[in-house]
């Protein structure tokens, strides 16, 4: 285990905030372009369309966008439709004349009030006239016949709506703050201009990226087909990613959170047998919460899948935070390393990027929790 504090900021989304394309959808759970590029350099990857990179917990596609910039083919899966949508939009090629043309068309459409139903959550997030405008703009954008630009404009509207909202994300919960908000049309115009500038700035190579809806526990790729894995699973303390994005999901995907979707997140809807509990007892005590057992069982399945789809000698790079339980820290990084070794990976290293205290009742210290990069190598 080596301390690498220089990786600390890179395993967060913060460095992406001002980067063209990467910044199109703020995803607190993401890591940075610079992290992915650093891994390409450290593991001697070379631009080559026949080289394939996998991120089975793709989020908003940081690994895939960086792969397109670097010049390698990439595959990504995520269980949740919103990040998959953002990843799709961010990994495509656009023509700025088309963006201009559709912007002009959009803002020449005359506002009409459209009837809609919305939850109390959405009503609380927006002033009524702003919500009316957002719904009108959404419906107008849905009339763009070319899917490429329809999706791009919808992501721009999602981005702009977040800036015109009283709601904000505070860790795992949505909070509200009444404040002066900018007019949504102006916000959207500005966002589209920025997207258009970004399209000119980013230099994508002629390689494909495949962002898909899918489950990391059942990766839809052939055995021995992948040359490198760069990924970050949900952390034990934050396995449910959909709740804080409920407003976007409802407004733009007409998608009310379904138990089905939440159940397929890591650590949920897993049946745990006595045998599983026994096999995980080297990492947990029987009295530990069931969720910790389910989470580790799922992680084990994901590792098996990564072992299956990779070629021999391939690096598997996993950014993970340890889990805080009320009475102890679950050292997910060393557990992944151990599980990996059991299923035929070599452990290259564990790089500690950040350390934080786990606390009980906000003040009582329970233990130090690491955020680490676990590097395994398929034998
Ligand atoms: C830590 S985030 C990854 C963020 C990503 N590195 C980025 O830069 O955007 C973990 C992601 O895993 C997804 N997820 C949770 N359970 C999953 C599963 N069973 N299969 C695939 N993805 C899953 C969540 O929706 C979330 O987007």
């Amino acid at each position: 285990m080596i301390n690498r504090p220089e990786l600390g900021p890179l395993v967060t989304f913060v460095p992406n905030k001002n980067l063209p394309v990467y910044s199109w959808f703020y995803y607190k759970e993401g890591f940075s372009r610079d992290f992915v590029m650093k891994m390409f350099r450290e593991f001697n990857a070379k631009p080559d369309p026949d080289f394939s990179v996998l991120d089975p917990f793709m989020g908003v596609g940081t690994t895939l966008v960086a792969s397109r910039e670097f010049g390698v083919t990439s595959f990504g899966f995520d269980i949740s439709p919103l990040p998959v949508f953002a990843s799709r939009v961010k990994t495509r090629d656009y023509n700025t004349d088309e963006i201009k043309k559709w912007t002009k068309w959009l803002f020449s459409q005359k506002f009409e009030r459209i009837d809609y139903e919305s939850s109390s959550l959405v009503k609380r997030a927006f002033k009524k006239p702003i919500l009316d405008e957002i719904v009108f703009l959404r419906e107008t954008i849905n009339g763009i016949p070319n899917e490429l630009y329809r999706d791009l404009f919808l992501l721009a509207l999602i981005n702009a709506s977040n800036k015109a909202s009283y709601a904000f994300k505070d860790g795992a919960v949505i909070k509200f703050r009444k404040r002066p908000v900018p007019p949504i049309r102006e916000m959207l115009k500005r966002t589209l201009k920025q997207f258009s500038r970004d399209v000119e700035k980013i230099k994508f190579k002629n390689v494909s990226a495949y962002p898909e809806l899918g489950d990391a526990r059942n990766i839809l790729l052939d055995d021995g087909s992948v040359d490198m894995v760069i990924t970050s699973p949900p952390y034990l303390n934050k396995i449910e990613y959909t709740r804080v994005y409920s407003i976007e999901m409802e407004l733009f995907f007409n998608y009310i959170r379904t138990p089905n979707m939440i159940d397929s997140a890591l650590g949920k809807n897993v049946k745990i047998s006595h045998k599983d509990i026994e096999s995980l007892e080297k990492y947990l005590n029987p009295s530990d919460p069931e969720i910790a057992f389910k989470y580790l069982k799922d992680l084990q399945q994901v590792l098996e899948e990564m072992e299956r789809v990779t070629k021999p000698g391939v690096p598997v790079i996993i950014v993970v935070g340890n889990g805080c339980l009320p009475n102890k820290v679950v050292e997910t990084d060393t557990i992944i390393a151990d599980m990996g070794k059991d299923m035929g990976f070599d452990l290259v290293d564990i790089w500690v990027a950040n350390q934080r205290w786990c606390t009980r009742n906000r003040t009582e210290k329970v233990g130090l929790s690491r955020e680490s990069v676990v590097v395994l190598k398929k034998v």
Side-chain angles (χ1 to χ4, degrees):
M1 196 177 283
I2 315 180
N3 269 331
R4 289 195 62 182
E6 82 281 8
L7 294 178
L10 301 191
V11 297
T12 74
F13 196 76
V14 177
N16 290 348
K17 263 170 67 178
N18 295 314
L19 290 183
V21 181
Y22 293 89
S23 58
W24 286 1
F25 186 85
Y26 187 82
Y27 207 52
K28 195 167 178 288
E29 301 75 15
F31 49 43
S32 69
R33 166 200 185 268
D34 295 354
F35 174 72
V36 180
M37 291 298 185
K38 199 173 176 60
M39 293 304 110
F40 285 153
R41 279 196 306 274
E42 291 193 13
F43 290 90
N44 286 320
K46 298 277 177 292
D48 174 2
D50 290 332
F51 187 93
S52 64
V53 177
L54 163 69
D55 187 346
F57 296 102
M58 164 178 69
V60 293
T62 313
T63 303
L64 281 72
V65 179
S67 295
R68 283 220 60 198
E69 255 197 292
F70 185 73
V72 290
T73 299
S74 53
F75 297 87
F77 301 95
D78 202 284
I79 205 80
S80 176
L82 176 64
V84 174
F85 175 76
S87 300
R88 283 211 174 112
V89 175
K90 288 165 63 184
T91 47
R92 289 167 172 167
D93 296 304
Y94 303 95
N95 175 325
T96 49
D97 288 339
E98 286 289 306
I99 301 179
K100 275 192 201 104
K101 181 183 99 184
W102 288 112
T103 306
K104 207 165 155 210
W105 173 82
L106 176 65
F107 291 107
S108 68
Q109 304 301 305
K110 209 168 150 273
F111 173 77
E112 263 171 52
R113 239 197 66 84
I114 297 170
D115 282 335
Y116 57 90
E117 280 187 23
S118 52
S119 68
S120 54
L121 184 71
V122 167
K123 284 194 187 108
R124 237 183 120 187
F126 299 99
K127 261 199 228 162
K128 174 87 171 64
I130 291 192
L131 188 53
D132 287 349
E133 279 271 17
I134 292 174
V135 172
F136 166 73
L137 289 165
R138 181 192 70 196
E139 292 310 306
T140 312
I141 288 171
N142 274 332
I144 297 179
N146 182 332
E147 188 198 348
L148 204 65
Y149 294 93
R150 186 165 69 230
D151 288 354
L152 180 74
F153 277 54
L154 202 59
L155 189 67
L157 181 61
I158 296 174
N159 181 314
S161 306
N162 277 334
K163 293 179 185 139
S165 168
Y166 293 145
F168 67 99
K169 299 169 179 79
D170 185 17
V173 287
I174 298 178
K175 290 193 176 160
F176 298 88
R177 175 181 47 202
K178 282 255 156 103
R179 61 184 177 106
V181 286
I184 182 73
R185 274 181 176 249
E186 274 317 301
M187 227 35 256
L188 180 58
K189 265 188 203 156
R190 241 189 279 168
T191 307
L192 284 165
K193 267 202 189 128
Q194 186 217 320
F195 277 25
S196 189
R197 276 196 301 269
D198 285 0
V199 164
E200 282 184 337
K201 272 192 212 153
I202 197 131
K203 299 280 175 264
F204 280 155
K205 303 270 164 52
N206 192 12
V207 287
S208 307
Y210 301 96
E212 299 291 341
L213 199 65
D215 192 330
R217 294 167 297 186
N218 180 19
I219 300 173
L220 298 174
L221 290 178
D222 289 341
D223 297 4
S225 58
V226 168
D227 295 288
M228 187 170 189
V229 177
I230 306 179
T231 197
S232 175
Y235 298 180
L236 179 52
N237 297 99
K238 192 172 184 314
I239 52 174
E240 218 275 68
Y241 280 80
T242 55
R243 190 186 307 271
V244 280
Y245 298 102
S246 311
I247 296 175
E248 291 92 331
M249 294 289 282
E250 175 184 330
L251 249 183
F252 300 102
F253 295 88
N254 200 9
Y255 206 101
I256 310 294
R257 269 167 20 108
T258 62
N260 230 349
M261 187 173 115
I262 298 157
D263 283 352
S264 50
L266 210 65
K268 294 283 180 94
N269 198 24
V270 188
K271 290 210 170 55
I272 235 98
S273 64
H274 274 300
K275 222 173 106 208
D276 295 326
I277 293 187
E278 268 171 31
S279 75
L280 293 170
E281 269 177 6
K282 57 177 163 169
Y283 309 123
L284 296 167
N285 296 323
S287 58
D288 285 334
E290 198 181 43
I291 181 70
F293 282 92
K294 291 181 169 180
Y295 175 79
L296 290 187
K297 184 180 173 191
D298 267 353
L299 268 188
Q300 200 159 22
Q301 195 173 332
V302 174
L303 280 169
E304 272 162 16
E305 276 294 84
M306 295 201 284
E307 204 274 335
R308 179 183 67 76
V309 298
T310 43
K311 296 176 186 169
V314 158
V316 173
I317 300 161
I318 305 169
V319 176
V320 73
N322 291 345
C324 298
L325 295 184
N327 58 339
K328 70 179 204 201
V329 178
V330 177
E331 301 196 357
T332 316
D333 53 359
T334 54
I335 295 175
I336 288 182
D338 210 63
M339 285 177 169
K341 281 193 281 184
D342 278 353
M343 60 185 75
F345 283 106
D346 274 345
L347 172 63
V348 176
D349 228 323
I350 299 178
W351 299 326
V352 181
N354 288 305
Q355 297 206 68
R356 295 187 190 91
W357 282 102
C358 286
T359 54
R360 197 172 24 224
N361 307 326
R362 287 182 174 264
T363 51
E364 235 179 293
K365 286 178 180 162
V366 174
L368 263 180
S369 149
R370 293 180 297 272
E371 187 173 24
S372 310
V373 182
V374 182
V375 184
L376 303 170
K377 195 164 121 193
K378 160 102 172 237
V379 180

